[in-house]
Amino acid sequence: MGTQRDPGSPPDEAAEPGGSPLDPSERTVIRPMESPPAHNPTDLGPLGIPAGFNAQHAPLGAFFSFTCGHPGTPGGLGLEIGQPADQNVFVGVKHGRRTDDAPTTALPFYADRAGLGAGAADFLGEQAVEQAGPGEQHAPQKLTPYALNQITRHYGWATDLWATGDFTFAIHTPFAPLPDPATAAPSALRDALLPAVTAELTVDNRAGRETKTAFFALGFAKPGARTLPTWTAGHNRLRRHRLGFAWRRELGVAGELHDVTDPQRPAALDAAFAFQRWTVDDGLTDTVNPVHQLGSCPGIAFEVPPGKAYTLRLALGVYREGVATTGLEGRYLYTRHYGGLNDVLDAALERAATFAQHAKQLDEDLAQSALSAHQQFMVAHATRSYHGSTQLLDIAGDPFWIVNEGEYCMMNTLDLSIDQAFWELDRNPWVVRNLLDSFTKRHAYHDMTRDAEGDEHPGGVSFCHDMGAHNQFSPPGDSSYEMAGLTGCFSFMTMEQLCNWVLLASCYVAKTNDTAWLTQQAPLLSACAESLRHRCDEHGVMRRDSARCAGGAEITTYDSLDESLGQARANTYILVKTWAAWLGLDLLHRTRTGGTLPDHHADAIAAFVPTCIDEHGLLPAVLEPDNPGFTSRILPVVEALVYPAWWLRQLNPDDPRRAPLKHALASPMTDTLKHHTRVLLTQPETRNLFADGGIKLSSTSNNSWMSKIALFLHVVRDVLHLDEDPAIAETLENADQTHVQWQAVGSAYWACSDQIISGVAKASRYYPRIVTAALWMDEHVLAPPMQASDAQSAADLTPKIRITQPVPQPK
Amino acid sequence: MGTQRDPGSPPDEAAEPGGSPLDPSERTVIRPMESPPAHNPTDLGPLGIPAGFNAQHAPLGAFFSFTCGHPGTPGGLGLEIGQPADQNVFVGVKHGRRTDDAPTTALPFYADRAGLGAGAADFLGEQAVEQAGPGEQHAPQKLTPYALNQITRHYGWATDLWATGDFTFAIHTPFAPLPDPATAAPSALRDALLPAVTAELTVDNRAGRETKTAFFALGFAKPGARTLPTWTAGHNRLRRHRLGFAWRRELGVAGELHDVTDPQRPAALDAAFAFQRWTVDDGLTDTVNPVHQLGSCPGIAFEVPPGKAYTLRLALGVYREGVATTGLEGRYLYTRHYGGLNDVLDAALERAATFAQHAKQLDEDLAQSALSAHQQFMVAHATRSYHGSTQLLDIAGDPFWIVNEGEYCMMNTLDLSIDQAFWELDRNPWVVRNLLDSFTKRHAYHDMTRDAEGDEHPGGVSFCHDMGAHNQFSPPGDSSYEMAGLTGCFSFMTMEQLCNWVLLASCYVAKTNDTAWLTQQAPLLSACAESLRHRCDEHGVMRRDSARCAGGAEITTYDSLDESLGQARANTYILVKTWAAWLGLDLLHRTRTGGTLPDHHADAIAAFVPTCIDEHGLLPAVLEPDNPGFTSRILPVVEALVYPAWWLRQLNPDDPRRAPLKHALASPMTDTLKHHTRVLLTQPETRNLFADGGIKLSSTSNNSWMSKIALFLHVVRDVLHLDEDPAIAETLENADQTHVQWQAVGSAYWACSDQIISGVAKASRYYPRIVTAALWMDEHVLAPPMQASDAQSAADLTPKIRITQPVPQPK
């Protein structure tokens, strides 16, 4: 993948070409218009990772990404797909005038015929183009890609900047709270839902001696490219020339050129031109026919004379008109506020400069957080993939919020929703209420339960795994995912989704204090409590599977993991989540009535958990002695501590609802969980760290979920404060570093991914859920640290009970 | 590809399994409900070709095909694509009940992992399915494909029937004139524009001893499959159960099961079921979860008990809602008359039985024509690919007729329109008027011309090559295809398209006598005449290229051929087409005014052509002695004789406009052309036949256009009557036979294709234009045969002029 510049060398030097195939005399020294901050902690050099990974540059709610960054593979504009798109992305310069026979170099965002190997400076750029018309030969692109060691990449929260010796290319994806369509002004919604991202391609030729020709082009794999008629914006001396290209009715790119030689008054220029041919070279060189409508490779280009510095502002947008879904008939809500693709592109160009500024501000917000550089990378990377999966529809006049499940495109997978809720509740809590209501109205169900003998018992309400997939809503009461008769992947998640809905509601109310909504939910919340009781024994342990399983067994969100986390019944991860759900129900009850919830099982669980430890003070993953999961040790058993801790943070210091939460968090169960975690993170023979230092969620599985690791790390650091132990702090820092490698190397093509096996993204790729890492930006939530038996050694702990006796049955 | 049954063996015997991998005792003797006619000349066995070629089963005007037939490759439902779609098509039976662990056999319409070789009876059916969700393994399809020698295929004009030892599968694509939306009743348009085809899957298990389970399923490569809710049609005892599946909002399949054991009263059944899993086997076998919404392979299946014969009627349809195009914003006109996909599928099932009957009638019409079996095959095959390329839009309330150019999807390529006009004018002349007007309003232009020295001269009106591509209309006055500065492919076709528009108008008026329309065209027709004059010398030979070529040179429709047919200037193919255009202008002038057109050049051309022959009486392809095409000999030089001959056929015997046409056809030019053709078809050292006996349009190119061969053969047989010479008749019959091989073998994947190189379809594939072969169904148009010097030998002809002197320049 090429070598990186030395950590610590300033960006100005790093931007010098490191191994150019061109004559150095033909190169200019780069002076980016907006130099990246000298010590930007998300510079990739200091992170020790190669720059060549994909990022999903996405607006909010459009289920659309502009993806690029991975060398040698296509990407580009992707609509409603859970993977990088299939366009070659050409961003580069010809080292001469457009018609010159001069070398042309480009960022390596395109596929070559033979594959792009390490240090591919000798890549010849020959490439098969999709046959688009009669007589087309497989025209080779006359391009040389930059090697990664000729590139510096700065990866902020909302800026992704690539600097070569010849130009900079920055993509801006600022984000902001999404106003509630029920109350927001149309203009605010228009602004918030703009389905486009912006970019800037800058060539500083002030020190150059020859004209350079820069270009941004896409090589489409499917026919349907077209050049847009040129238009103007503004008037009089502010009149600006805009041009671009599109793919069919829905995807488009527009550009506007500025002379930034005098940064105080960048003037608009008419010098940019559009082209459309089968190759960039033909588009630049053939001035008689820059546009051939059969061409698969449209682009925008401009010449930069010596002494000048020009920036091409770019809009990369989408407009999906009409009904986009089945089952429920949804249109994109942005279609209320934009007339079509041209309107979108025009609005995006109008805001490109603002976007760049806003992105810079967000970059600084993250850079100035208390997070390490590795943690910052994870937050920045996760934010992008999350946005690319979001989709805001208008269904029968009402907003309908959807997060698509990455590569699987399942809609509103509830076990993702709960992990992503922290992000949304900090910005626009109404989308969480929207989600809660969508589940209640259409994707809830009532079941019976079955005991070990197969006898049926009452069950109750629960919620579907998801609402459909790939824009196809499932029938009411169904998900796209769940099937009967299974014990593994695709089985029901009845118990976990019940907890998830309750926790989601609790988080929403803790954040918003929306008592009007809460009052409406009272009957449902009672039903949820009853449904929980029917599934669990008197200790609060789940003992009955839903009869919907038809003889199979419920699973958890860890669907492809072994019993340690895959099986829901008697699982300690589910047990502590059930504890949190009871605390949530109690919190909601107190909010509504001022009194405590009768017959809730949080205390029972808190009392029971410490009795379940083994001779080392560790908790089995599954409380069934004959189950393989009984010997497994899992870290996510502590995960649900996050909920009371997070609720506490939302409540005022004098709120009476704080006391029971503080009490719950200070229970001996927390001690047990803290000890359990400390041992798993520190014992030399640990099976809960990978050889590379990454967190291994289960001692018996090599499959690890990055989003769940993020939650775990948050609990370990900000709830259990185990990082006060320098050894553990170092272990966690090493893990953070490794997790960056997993993403940037092991998931280089797939942008941000969740399921990592041996450091490589193998499933749940191009995934939204890792945004839960933004929890790391929260301050420490419990001060002073809990007075638990922090220094207690494993040997001091006497097992209270060994789970070898028959377990009690639920009442 | 397996062996075919012996020619002449009756279908009943042929339907016996020829080499089944199954125990013969498990097989039933097939008794198709509607036996194919015993001597159906389009049975493929007698044609000596393998059954394994794709056919485009398509309705009218929907730019949609259901394509299948080629072994080992995907196909299925294709919308707006110039190639077979990407679904595996599974049509077959499990030899047992749905839950049995029994062998399952299917037609070979799907891809296997390793590719399907010749005689692939041992194909194991393991197949990679697109990853559609978490944990999906690449589930193998547990299917065995029938070998081609176990299949009999009957290929009629509107029925494509596959018979195995276990079932028959018949696809019905009847067609009828398309009413003019300006005057037609909405119900007539609804009927004519139904965007669906129908099929019947029949299992006759009356002699069987075990239940069989039949299925029709599609394995989608892209996510978005869904099962349709089951509905009912009819009422009381006619109540019928309907079910199906869809892909997103636009593609769908619905089915209705009938008990045809008593053919007099086939009863509707509720026994069919829908499934959706990753494999057919899971869909049949897992009765608990027949539907998994993440499954990529939805289908419809039914069990047939012993003693019963059931038919599943199938609707295979499309509904593309909203604006489908750019440049002009067009919606499918059928969306005026259908509410959505379900409406389409429901209407198609309602008409499935009628479709089958109508298809049978059309099969008989073709079978009872005077055409040979090989000619009938070509007509049937071409008809299907033509329909698959048709697209009727509603643009701003008006109908807009489009034929897409096969794999290239260029819209209304004018050099195709003229060849396809005979087909349309016999059915619905209004679409030709619609085409003419579309060109006039938006895709005409005025140019200057340039002489050999590059000096500019007046030009005039002409017409674009096309109106856009892939649903993207080009700007007014432009095509998607043409570029400046070229001498080959993608250059302008100004002269030929001018002739084509005039000829199209002439054909339209000759057919319809639409004098109101003609009167409106008077100024344009004058401009066309002037434009023709400006491009040609006093002999009518094109001598000046359009200035739009910017120094390049015009080409003809034979864009990828050498100068012999690729160069327009001084080309004798264009020269005779110009002659026909002048005759057409004269015809139109006479129609409008009763008088002859002043200053028309038909006679000049007719007089000049005989002066251009060489010492053997043959015409050079290009009348430029230094041009490589000067030595080429081309058959299409006779092509344009078709126009006056066809016009004559449209006019009443006493119509005064017949005389000049008869006079023109009886000119010495016709003698010259006839001699030229006879020599090229008969001389032993001929370079105008391929080694396989196929027609070679140019002596100097191995590229041959099937549509143009069809026109040529029509002229040779029905205008020049050269087939009265038994040797030539045999040559032509051999050629017909070879051309069938080109399509069914050389273009097996691509359905009907135009450009054939060495017997293999290399370009212009999946193509509409071959429908011009339907001209063969016309009766002989000139009786008695012309009294030309039929018996004259080459030696008797004295060259009148040798084109070695400088050629005169146009006035």
Side-chain angles (χ1 to χ4, degrees):
Chain A
M1 287 292 201
T3 59
Q4 297 306 296
R5 66 184 181 83
D6 292 340
S9 62
D12 279 0
E13 286 178 38
E16 288 282 340
S20 167
L22 305 171
D23 178 353
S25 67
E26 289 184 21
R27 299 185 144 261
T28 55
V29 176
I30 189 164
R31 291 192 185 85
M33 286 300 94
E34 299 178 339
S35 298
H39 297 289
N40 185 336
T42 51
D43 278 5
L44 302 174
L47 291 181
I49 55 170
F53 57 85
N54 268 334
Q56 262 185 275
H57 304 99
L60 204 57
F63 199 1
F64 160 79
S65 297
F66 173 71
T67 297
C68 65
H70 185 249
T73 51
L77 308 172
L79 170 62
E80 300 177 347
I81 53 171
Q83 60 184 62
D86 55 4
Q87 302 128 41
N88 283 320
V89 178
F90 301 114
V91 187
V93 287
K94 179 184 264 198
H95 298 263
R97 294 185 59 89
R98 64 182 289 195
T99 52
D100 288 351
D101 183 15
T104 305
T105 47
L107 295 174
F109 303 158
Y110 55 97
D112 70 318
R113 212 166 43 196
L116 194 73
D122 58 350
F123 170 55
L124 292 171
E126 286 181 15
Q127 178 207 8
V129 176
E130 182 80 359
Q131 177 123 349
E136 177 186 3
Q137 290 111 24
H138 291 288
Q141 295 284 356
K142 296 184 185 171
L143 297 172
T144 305
Y146 293 93
L148 287 182
N149 63 3
Q150 296 174 283
I151 296 167
T152 306
R153 184 176 184 181
H154 308 278
Y155 197 64
W157 208 0
T159 304
D160 185 5
L161 186 147
W162 298 72
T164 73
D166 304 302
F167 62 89
T168 59
F169 178 61
I171 308 162
H172 300 122
T173 49
F175 47 90
L178 179 62
D180 185 348
T183 54
S187 63
L189 277 167
R190 179 172 157 97
D191 281 357
L193 289 172
L194 176 67
V197 302
T198 60
E200 290 184 350
L201 173 58
T202 297
V203 176
D204 184 347
N205 203 14
R206 283 178 294 184
R209 290 171 308 183
E210 294 186 8
T211 293
K212 292 186 178 186
T213 307
F215 53 85
F216 177 92
L218 294 177
F220 287 93
K222 299 188 192 78
R226 60 191 174 102
T227 313
L228 295 175
T230 297
W231 74 103
T232 55
H235 50 81
N236 301 340
R237 70 178 186 84
L238 294 175
R239 197 171 176 83
R240 299 183 304 284
H241 175 78
R242 292 179 174 176
L243 71 178
F245 58 89
W247 187 83
R248 300 197 179 243
R249 298 184 63 78
E250 57 258 45
L251 300 172
V253 176
E256 179 181 288
L257 188 64
H258 291 259
D259 181 348
V260 287
T261 308
D262 175 3
Q264 297 311 304
R265 283 182 64 181
L269 293 168
D270 285 351
F273 59 96
F275 62 85
Q276 180 180 351
R277 295 295 296 269
W278 284 311
T279 66
V280 170
D281 187 62
D282 283 347
L284 298 183
T285 308
D286 186 349
T287 55
V288 178
N289 303 291
V291 173
H292 188 204
Q293 290 164 53
L294 298 180
S296 55
C297 184
I300 305 172
F302 56 101
E303 293 183 339
V304 187
K308 289 290 187 181
Y310 291 173
T311 290
L312 179 69
R313 290 189 189 146
L314 288 162
L316 308 156
V318 65
Y319 191 89
R320 167 80 148 96
E321 65 199 349
V323 178
T325 58
T326 66
L328 292 173
E329 304 205 311
R331 299 164 188 271
Y332 281 89
L333 201 135
Y334 63 69
T335 64
R336 284 190 198 167
H337 302 285
Y338 290 91
L341 183 60
N342 276 67
D343 189 13
V344 166
L345 297 175
D346 207 45
L349 282 181
E350 211 62 54
R351 295 172 64 198
T354 315
F355 269 32
Q357 280 307 314
H358 185 188
K360 192 175 178 183
Q361 182 58 54
L362 285 162
D363 296 345
E364 283 170 16
D365 290 350
L366 183 64
Q368 288 164 13
S369 73
L371 299 188
S372 73
H374 294 101
Q375 289 177 304
Q376 289 183 28
F377 169 87
M378 192 65 74
V379 170
H381 202 44
T383 299
R384 287 181 172 83
S385 281
Y386 180 73
H387 285 148
S389 289
T390 60
Q391 183 177 32
L392 182 61
L393 299 179
D394 173 335
I395 296 184
D398 287 325
F400 199 111
W401 174 257
I402 294 168
V403 179
N404 290 279
E405 191 182 339
E407 64 170 314
Y408 309 126
C409 295
M410 285 182 275
M411 300 147 84
N412 284 340
T413 303
L414 183 49
D415 43 302
L416 270 69
S417 305
I418 182 59
D419 294 345
Q420 296 155 179
F422 306 110
W423 173 269
E424 294 305 343
L425 289 171
D426 273 352
R427 285 160 185 81
N428 24 246
W430 73 267
V431 309
V432 174
R433 185 188 68 232
N434 189 279
L435 259 174
L436 285 161
D437 290 344
S438 300
F439 272 104
T440 305
K441 285 178 193 160
R442 201 166 187 276
H443 294 280
Y445 59 86
H446 287 75
D447 67 352
M448 298 289 283
T449 58
R450 283 199 195 155
D451 62 24
E453 284 70 44
D455 293 334
E456 289 215 345
H457 300 272
V461 70
S462 186
F463 302 86
C464 298
H465 171 273
D466 60 73
M467 301 184 182
H470 293 286
N471 283 13
Q472 323 300 305
F473 281 97
S474 299
D478 274 340
S479 72
S480 70
Y481 174 95
E482 290 153 315
M483 288 195 286
L486 304 177
T487 56
C489 202
F490 304 123
S491 185
F492 286 86
M493 297 188 192
T494 310
M495 177 68 184
E496 181 162 20
Q497 306 298 14
L498 174 59
C499 291
N500 286 337
W501 192 92
V502 167
L503 291 167
L504 202 58
S506 307
C507 290
Y508 171 70
V509 171
K511 182 76 185 187
T512 63
N513 210 31
D514 183 349
T515 49
W517 181 85
L518 176 61
T519 303
Q520 291 169 348
Q521 312 305 316
L524 176 56
L525 289 166
S526 291
C528 287
E530 182 172 84
S531 186
L532 276 179
R533 286 183 202 109
H534 285 162
R535 295 165 205 281
C536 301
D537 67 16
E538 76 272 25
H539 301 302
V541 180
M542 176 190 158
R543 295 294 182 186
R544 288 179 179 157
D545 286 295
S546 172
R548 282 197 126 189
C549 294
E554 287 183 37
I555 57 172
T556 76
T557 185
Y558 296 91
D559 57 0
S560 58
L561 218 130
D562 67 0
E563 290 83 354
S564 65
L565 275 165
Q567 170 181 316
R569 196 181 60 251
N571 195 294
T572 48
Y573 157 72
I574 293 292
L575 179 59
V576 183
K577 202 168 205 179
T578 310
W579 167 81
W582 281 119
L583 289 179
L585 286 168
D586 183 57
L587 172 69
L588 295 172
H589 193 80
R590 287 170 190 274
T591 307
R592 194 166 56 84
T593 67
T596 191
L597 177 70
D599 193 18
H600 87 73
H601 294 196
D603 291 344
I605 293 170
F608 181 66
V609 166
T611 69
C612 300
I613 57 175
D614 68 8
E615 62 272 32
H616 306 294
L618 303 179
L619 286 163
V622 178
L623 299 177
E624 292 177 345
D626 296 335
N627 190 296
F630 187 70
T631 60
S632 304
R633 297 296 174 262
I634 53 174
L635 296 173
V637 69
V638 306
E639 178 184 303
L641 293 174
V642 70
Y643 299 105
W646 192 87
W647 300 331
L648 271 175
R649 225 186 122 219
Q650 314 310 316
L651 303 179
N652 287 328
D654 56 352
D655 193 311
R657 294 172 298 173
R658 290 178 61 89
L661 295 172
K662 293 185 78 164
H663 170 77
L665 275 171
S667 78
M669 182 180 83
T670 305
D671 296 342
T672 302
L673 295 173
K674 191 166 184 176
H675 172 77
H676 172 91
T677 308
R678 178 190 293 113
V679 173
L680 295 188
L681 288 177
T682 53
Q683 54 176 231
E685 70 283 14
T686 184
R687 293 166 297 157
N688 285 87
L689 289 173
F690 288 101
D692 61 9
I695 299 291
K696 189 159 175 280
L697 293 174
S698 165
S699 61
T700 51
S701 173
N702 284 323
N703 198 341
S704 221
W705 265 242
M706 187 59 224
S707 60
K708 293 303 208 180
I709 290 174
L711 260 179
F712 166 75
L713 289 173
H714 174 64
V715 169
V716 166
R717 285 193 278 233
D718 290 345
V719 182
L720 297 177
H721 305 285
L722 279 167
D723 58 339
E724 291 172 357
D725 175 342
I728 289 182
E730 190 185 342
T731 296
L732 301 184
E733 278 163 31
N734 287 341
D736 284 335
Q737 199 163 342
T738 295
H739 301 153
V740 171
Q741 294 284 337
W742 289 0
Q743 296 299 329
V745 181
S747 177
Y749 173 71
W750 286 99
C752 204
S753 292
D754 210 11
Q755 287 190 51
I756 307 287
I757 300 175
S758 306
V760 177
K762 290 286 191 186
S764 300
R765 297 169 296 194
Y766 217 64
Y767 216 64
R769 191 191 219 171
I770 302 92
V771 79
T772 198
L775 268 179
W776 299 339
M777 298 180 76
D778 290 1
E779 296 154 307
H780 282 211
V781 293
L782 296 173
M786 285 177 299
Q787 301 304 315
S789 48
D790 289 14
Q792 204 173 10
S793 75
D796 295 339
L797 285 162
T798 309
K800 310 292 190 306
I801 190 169
R802 297 288 299 279
I803 312 296
T804 46
Q805 291 83 34
V807 289
Q809 287 297 302
K811 54 188 172 177
Chain B
M1 287 293 196
T3 58
Q4 296 306 296
R5 67 183 180 84
D6 292 340
S9 63
D12 279 359
E13 286 179 38
E16 288 283 341
S20 165
L22 305 172
D23 179 353
S25 68
E26 289 184 22
R27 300 187 144 258
T28 54
V29 176
I30 190 165
R31 291 192 184 86
M33 285 302 94
E34 299 178 339
S35 299
H39 296 288
N40 184 339
T42 52
D43 278 5
L44 301 174
L47 291 180
I49 55 171
F53 57 85
N54 268 333
Q56 262 185 275
H57 304 100
L60 203 57
F63 199 179
F64 160 80
S65 296
F66 173 72
T67 297
C68 66
H70 185 250
T73 51
L77 308 172
L79 169 62
E80 300 176 348
I81 52 170
Q83 60 185 62
D86 54 5
Q87 303 126 41
N88 283 321
V89 178
F90 301 114
V91 187
V93 287
K94 179 183 264 199
H95 298 262
R97 295 185 60 89
R98 62 181 290 193
T99 51
D100 288 350
D101 183 14
T104 305
T105 48
L107 295 175
F109 303 158
Y110 55 97
D112 70 317
R113 213 165 42 196
L116 193 73
D122 57 350
F123 170 55
L124 292 172
E126 287 181 14
Q127 177 208 9
V129 176
E130 182 80 359
Q131 177 123 348
E136 176 187 2
Q137 289 112 24
H138 291 288
Q141 296 284 357
K142 295 184 185 172
L143 297 172
T144 304
Y146 293 93
L148 287 181
N149 63 4
Q150 297 174 281
I151 295 167
T152 306
R153 184 176 184 181
H154 308 279
Y155 196 65
W157 209 0
T159 304
D160 185 4
L161 186 148
W162 298 72
T164 74
D166 304 303
F167 63 87
T168 60
F169 178 62
I171 308 161
H172 300 122
T173 49
F175 48 89
L178 179 62
D180 185 348
T183 54
S187 64
L189 277 168
R190 179 171 157 96
D191 281 357
L193 289 172
L194 176 67
V197 303
T198 61
E200 290 184 349
L201 173 58
T202 297
V203 176
D204 185 347
N205 203 14
R206 283 179 295 183
R209 288 172 307 182
E210 294 188 7
T211 293
K212 292 186 178 186
T213 306
F215 54 85
F216 177 92
L218 295 177
F220 287 92
K222 299 188 193 78
R226 59 190 174 103
T227 313
L228 296 176
T230 297
W231 73 101
T232 54
H235 49 81
N236 299 341
R237 71 177 188 84
L238 295 174
R239 197 170 177 83
R240 299 182 304 284
H241 175 78
R242 292 180 174 174
L243 71 178
F245 58 89
W247 187 83
R248 300 196 179 246
R249 297 185 62 79
E250 57 258 44
L251 300 171
V253 176
E256 179 181 287
L257 188 64
H258 290 260
D259 181 346
V260 287
T261 308
D262 175 1
Q264 298 311 305
R265 284 180 66 180
L269 293 167
D270 285 352
F273 59 96
F275 62 84
Q276 180 180 351
R277 296 295 296 268
W278 284 311
T279 66
V280 170
D281 187 62
D282 283 346
L284 298 182
T285 308
D286 185 349
T287 55
V288 178
N289 303 292
V291 173
H292 188 204
Q293 289 164 54
L294 298 179
S296 55
C297 184
I300 304 172
F302 55 100
E303 293 184 341
V304 187
K308 290 290 187 181
Y310 291 172
T311 290
L312 180 70
R313 290 188 189 147
L314 287 163
L316 308 156
V318 66
Y319 191 89
R320 169 81 149 95
E321 65 198 349
V323 177
T325 59
T326 67
L328 291 173
E329 304 205 310
R331 300 165 188 271
Y332 281 88
L333 201 135
Y334 63 69
T335 63
R336 285 189 199 167
H337 302 286
Y338 290 92
L341 183 61
N342 276 66
D343 189 14
V344 166
L345 296 174
D346 206 46
L349 282 181
E350 211 61 54
R351 294 171 66 197
T354 315
F355 269 31
Q357 281 305 314
H358 185 188
K360 193 176 178 184
Q361 182 58 53
L362 285 162
D363 296 345
E364 282 170 15
D365 290 350
L366 183 64
Q368 287 163 14
S369 72
L371 299 188
S372 73
H374 294 100
Q375 288 178 306
Q376 289 184 24
F377 169 86
M378 191 65 74
V379 170
H381 201 44
T383 300
R384 285 182 174 81
S385 281
Y386 180 72
H387 285 148
S389 290
T390 60
Q391 183 177 32
L392 183 62
L393 299 180
D394 173 336
I395 297 183
D398 287 325
F400 199 111
W401 174 255
I402 294 167
V403 179
N404 289 280
E405 191 182 341
E407 64 169 313
Y408 309 126
C409 295
M410 284 181 277
M411 299 147 84
N412 283 340
T413 303
L414 182 49
D415 43 302
L416 271 69
S417 305
I418 182 60
D419 293 345
Q420 296 155 180
F422 306 110
W423 173 270
E424 294 304 344
L425 289 170
D426 274 352
R427 285 161 184 81
N428 24 246
W430 73 267
V431 309
V432 174
R433 185 188 67 233
N434 189 279
L435 259 175
L436 286 160
D437 290 344
S438 300
F439 272 105
T440 305
K441 285 179 194 159
R442 200 164 188 277
H443 293 281
Y445 59 86
H446 287 75
D447 68 352
M448 298 290 283
T449 58
R450 283 197 195 159
D451 62 24
E453 284 71 43
D455 293 334
E456 288 215 346
H457 300 272
V461 70
S462 187
F463 302 87
C464 298
H465 171 271
D466 60 73
M467 300 184 183
H470 293 285
N471 282 15
Q472 322 300 305
F473 282 97
S474 299
D478 273 340
S479 71
S480 70
Y481 174 95
E482 289 153 316
M483 288 195 287
L486 304 177
T487 56
C489 201
F490 304 123
S491 185
F492 286 86
M493 297 187 192
T494 310
M495 178 67 184
E496 181 162 19
Q497 305 299 13
L498 174 58
C499 292
N500 286 336
W501 192 92
V502 166
L503 291 167
L504 202 58
S506 306
C507 289
Y508 171 70
V509 171
K511 182 75 185 187
T512 63
N513 211 30
D514 182 350
T515 50
W517 181 85
L518 177 60
T519 303
Q520 292 169 346
Q521 311 306 315
L524 176 56
L525 290 166
S526 292
C528 287
E530 182 172 85
S531 186
L532 276 179
R533 286 183 201 109
H534 285 161
R535 296 166 203 281
C536 301
D537 66 17
E538 75 272 25
H539 302 301
V541 179
M542 175 189 160
R543 295 294 182 186
R544 288 178 179 157
D545 286 295
S546 172
R548 282 197 127 190
C549 294
E554 287 182 36
I555 57 172
T556 76
T557 185
Y558 296 92
D559 56 0
S560 59
L561 218 130
D562 68 359
E563 290 83 354
S564 65
L565 275 165
Q567 172 179 316
R569 196 181 61 249
N571 195 296
T572 49
Y573 156 73
I574 293 292
L575 180 58
V576 182
K577 202 167 206 179
T578 310
W579 167 81
W582 281 118
L583 290 178
L585 287 168
D586 183 56
L587 172 69
L588 295 173
H589 192 80
R590 288 170 189 272
T591 306
R592 193 166 57 83
T593 67
T596 191
L597 177 71
D599 193 17
H600 87 73
H601 292 197
D603 292 343
I605 293 171
F608 181 65
V609 166
T611 70
C612 300
I613 56 175
D614 69 7
E615 62 272 31
H616 306 294
L618 303 179
L619 287 163
V622 178
L623 299 177
E624 292 178 344
D626 296 336
N627 191 296
F630 187 69
T631 60
S632 304
R633 298 295 174 261
I634 53 173
L635 296 173
V637 68
V638 306
E639 178 185 302
L641 293 173
V642 69
Y643 300 105
W646 192 86
W647 299 331
L648 270 176
R649 226 188 121 218
Q650 313 310 316
L651 304 179
N652 288 329
D654 56 352
D655 192 310
R657 294 172 298 173
R658 290 177 62 90
L661 295 172
K662 292 185 79 165
H663 170 77
L665 275 172
S667 78
M669 182 180 83
T670 305
D671 296 341
T672 302
L673 294 173
K674 190 166 184 175
H675 172 78
H676 172 90
T677 308
R678 179 189 293 112
V679 173
L680 294 188
L681 289 177
T682 54
Q683 53 176 232
E685 71 282 17
T686 184
R687 292 167 298 157
N688 285 86
L689 288 173
F690 288 100
D692 61 8
I695 298 292
K696 190 160 174 281
L697 293 173
S698 166
S699 61
T700 52
S701 173
N702 285 323
N703 198 341
S704 222
W705 264 243
M706 188 59 224
S707 60
K708 293 301 209 179
I709 291 174
L711 260 179
F712 166 76
L713 289 172
H714 174 65
V715 169
V716 166
R717 285 194 276 234
D718 291 345
V719 182
L720 297 176
H721 305 286
L722 279 167
D723 58 339
E724 291 173 356
D725 176 341
I728 290 182
E730 190 184 343
T731 296
L732 301 184
E733 278 163 28
N734 287 341
D736 285 334
Q737 198 163 342
T738 294
H739 301 153
V740 171
Q741 294 283 338
W742 288 0
Q743 296 298 331
V745 180
S747 177
Y749 173 72
W750 286 98
C752 204
S753 292
D754 209 12
Q755 288 191 50
I756 307 287
I757 300 175
S758 305
V760 177
K762 290 286 191 186
S764 299
R765 297 168 296 194
Y766 217 64
Y767 216 63
R769 191 191 218 171
I770 302 91
V771 77
T772 197
L775 268 179
W776 299 340
M777 298 181 76
D778 290 0
E779 296 154 307
H780 283 211
V781 293
L782 297 173
M786 286 177 297
Q787 301 305 314
S789 47
D790 288 13
Q792 203 174 12
S793 76
D796 295 339
L797 284 163
T798 308
K800 310 294 190 303
I801 190 170
R802 298 286 300 279
I803 312 296
T804 47
Q805 292 83 33
V807 289
Q809 289 297 302
K811 55 188 175 177

